[in-house]
């Protein structure tokens, strides 16, 4: 019980620290005359879902936006709104103490990239590119060990890390298009399609439902692990919103599950998610759950991961 409390306290500290950066005055714009519009983030961990530490173990992503003002709608031209995305992820086998052949290899990934969002005739587009640092050069293996030492949980062994995905650099392209449909009242539906190429080559189709004011006139980004959309500062709508969504992907290749090591990808990759957003005057809270289906043949079941964000403005 004490270990779980310590782990949850660590998550809380991480979330609040991320929001503290949002409150800083970003008067300097690295993108010319554009003004700083807002900051968003999402912390994902399977401990906050099914309570384990395996497979899609944990990630953290942030988005910062610059543009020529914000009136509640995406601009018509690509490049007017710029989004800087930074994040990282740890992927791990189900057993951290010893190497089990064909269980997921340990992998650490850090990413940074530039994206843009715009809309034409009510259809929204988002695309951009990222640079990925992968392998022990990220230092995420040491970070996970240190965190596990603090909360008293066994971290990845030297044997497990000896089989991790090796050092490499990759470029990644991400593109998404979607459209919002008003269902009446405060309900809306947004079908979308997505393509990714680089570390994982895939195409995905899905839909998100929103019951409440979340996303209306707001800047939002999509988390790459769960598919949850998170708000990024501009024109936040107050109140409680419930979100639910699902998608399915065809994955053609993944450097995290290399074919030359004997891994076989599942025919499809499924995600089902639900969450609650609460936006008050000086605070915002989000908690969501996502079921991630099996990603490779030897993965004996799916997993449930949790996502959290806590904003406190002082």
């Amino acid at each position: 019980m004490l270990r779980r409390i310590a782990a949850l306290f660590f998550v809380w500290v991480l979330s609040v620290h991320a929001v503290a950066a949002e409150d800083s005055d970003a008067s300097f714009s690295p993108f010319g005359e554009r003004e700083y519009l807002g900051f968003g983030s999402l912390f994902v961990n399977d401990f906050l879902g099914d309570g384990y530490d395996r497979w899609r173990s944990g990630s953290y992503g942030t988005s910062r936006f610059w543009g020529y003002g914000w009136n509640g709608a995406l601009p018509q031209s690509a490049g007017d709104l710029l989004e800087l995305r930074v994040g990282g992820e740890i992927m791990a086998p189900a057993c951290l103490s010893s190497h089990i052949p064909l269980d997921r290899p340990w992998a650490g990934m850090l990413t940074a990239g530039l994206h843009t969002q715009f809309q034409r005739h009510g259809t929204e587009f988002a695309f951009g590119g990222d640079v990925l640092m992968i392998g022990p050069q990220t230092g995420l293996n040491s970070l996970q060990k240190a965190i596990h030492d603090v909360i008293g949980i066994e971290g990845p062994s030297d044997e497990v890390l000896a089989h991790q995905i090796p050092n490499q650099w990759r470029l990644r392209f991400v593109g998404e298009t979607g459209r919002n449909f008003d269902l009446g009242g405060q309900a809306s539906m947004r079908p979308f399609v997505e393509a990714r190429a680089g570390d994982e080559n895939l195409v995905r189709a899905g839909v998100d439902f929103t019951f409440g004011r979340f996303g209306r006139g707001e800047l939002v980004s999509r988390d790459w692990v769960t598919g949850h959309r998170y708000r990024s500062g501009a024109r936040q709508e107050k109140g409680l919103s419930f979100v639910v969504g699902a998608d399915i992907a065809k994955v053609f290749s993944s450097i995290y599950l290399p074919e030359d090591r004997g891994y076989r990808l599942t025919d499809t990759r499924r995600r089902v998610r639900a969450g609650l957003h609460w936006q008050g005057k000086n605070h915002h809270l989000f908690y969501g759950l996502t079921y991630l289906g099996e990603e490779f043949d030897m993965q004996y079941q799916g997993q449930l991961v949790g996502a959290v964000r806590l904003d406190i403005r002082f």
Side-chain angles (χ1 to χ4, degrees), residues 6 8 34 64 73 81 95 126 137 148 160 174 201 218 231 235 259 276:
L8 291 173
R34 294 176 182 84
R64 291 179 180 269
L81 180 67
C95 178
Q137 62 185 338
H148 280 219
V160 167
V174 182
N201 299 318
E218 299 178 323
R231 52 172 41 117
R235 196 175 177 175
E259 185 178 354
L276 282 172

Side-chain angles (χ1 to χ4, degrees), residues 21-314:
E22 180 181 6
D23 295 332
S24 60
D25 180 14
S27 57
F28 169 72
S29 172
F31 300 112
E33 298 177 355
R34 294 176 182 84
E35 61 182 279
Y36 177 71
L37 299 178
F39 168 84
S41 66
L42 196 66
F43 178 77
V44 178
N45 195 279
D46 58 345
F47 181 83
L48 301 175
D50 54 28
Y52 294 102
D53 188 10
R54 57 182 182 174
W55 303 325
R56 293 282 183 168
S57 179
S59 66
Y60 180 72
T62 69
S63 295
R64 291 179 180 269
F65 283 90
W66 285 264
Y68 301 110
W70 180 252
N71 63 3
L74 292 174
Q76 297 281 331
S77 300
D80 283 357
L81 180 67
L82 296 178
E83 176 188 0
L84 175 64
R85 296 183 185 176
V86 179
E89 182 179 4
I90 291 174
M91 290 157 273
C95 178
L96 291 176
S97 59
S98 60
H99 172 64
I100 299 177
L102 294 187
D103 194 359
R104 178 170 213 131
W106 199 98
M109 182 273 289
L110 295 175
T111 176
L114 190 63
H115 298 250
T116 186
Q117 296 189 30
F118 62 100
Q119 60 92 16
R120 297 282 177 85
H121 307 294
T123 300
E124 300 173 343
F125 300 89
F127 66 85
D130 306 286
V131 177
L132 279 66
M133 176 193 292
I134 300 167
Q137 62 185 338
T138 63
L140 292 177
N141 50 358
S142 299
L143 176 63
Q144 189 183 38
K145 277 190 170 184
I147 293 173
H148 280 219
D149 286 343
V150 169
I151 61 179
I153 299 175
E154 183 179 14
S157 67
D158 292 340
E159 181 185 2
V160 167
L161 294 178
H163 293 85
Q164 69 179 292
I165 300 300
N167 287 338
Q168 53 191 294
W169 292 81
R170 288 291 179 109
L171 295 177
R172 176 175 64 193
F173 166 81
V174 182
E176 179 184 324
T177 181
R179 188 180 182 95
N180 285 298
F181 294 91
D182 194 339
L183 301 180
Q186 293 189 349
S188 63
M189 175 183 71
R190 186 181 186 274
F192 71 95
V193 293
E194 178 190 31
R196 305 176 75 88
D199 56 340
E200 294 191 307
N201 299 318
L202 62 86
V203 291
R204 174 180 283 130
V207 62
D208 295 294
F209 293 91
T210 301
F211 304 91
R213 301 293 298 175
F214 170 77
R216 295 177 182 262
E218 299 178 323
L219 276 171
V220 294
S221 301
R222 187 180 298 278
D223 174 64
W224 73 90
V225 175
T226 64
H228 278 297
R229 303 173 77 211
Y230 57 90
R231 52 172 41 117
S232 294
R235 196 175 177 175
Q236 295 178 343
E237 293 284 347
K238 296 182 177 63
L240 183 67
S241 297
F242 174 68
V243 294
V244 62
D247 55 60
I248 187 169
K250 173 62 178 178
V251 184
F252 301 99
S253 63
S254 172
I255 65 171
Y256 309 115
L257 297 164
E259 185 178 354
D260 58 7
R261 292 196 191 183
Y263 293 98
R264 294 182 57 187
L265 301 176
T266 54
D267 289 337
T268 57
R269 187 181 294 182
R270 297 160 292 137
R271 303 187 301 196
V272 181
R273 54 189 169 270
L276 282 172
H277 293 267
W278 167 255
Q279 179 66 53
K281 181 178 180 180
N282 295 312
H283 57 276
H284 166 240
L285 174 65
F286 169 75
Y287 176 74
L289 285 171
T290 303
Y291 172 79
L292 304 177
E294 297 87 343
E295 298 187 5
F296 57 101
D297 280 356
M298 296 300 290
Q299 185 176 346
Y300 51 86
Q301 64 182 70
Q303 66 179 127
L304 194 65
V305 300
V308 64
R309 180 179 176 186
L310 174 62
D311 297 1
I312 299 177
R313 295 185 179 181
F314 299 98

Side-chain angles (χ1 to χ4, degrees), residues 1-13 47-48 150-151 153:
M1 178 61 70
L2 290 177
R3 291 179 178 180
R4 289 182 176 268
I5 293 174
L8 291 173
F9 178 74
F10 170 79
V11 170
W12 183 83
V13 170
F47 181 83
L48 301 175
V150 169
I151 61 179
I153 299 175

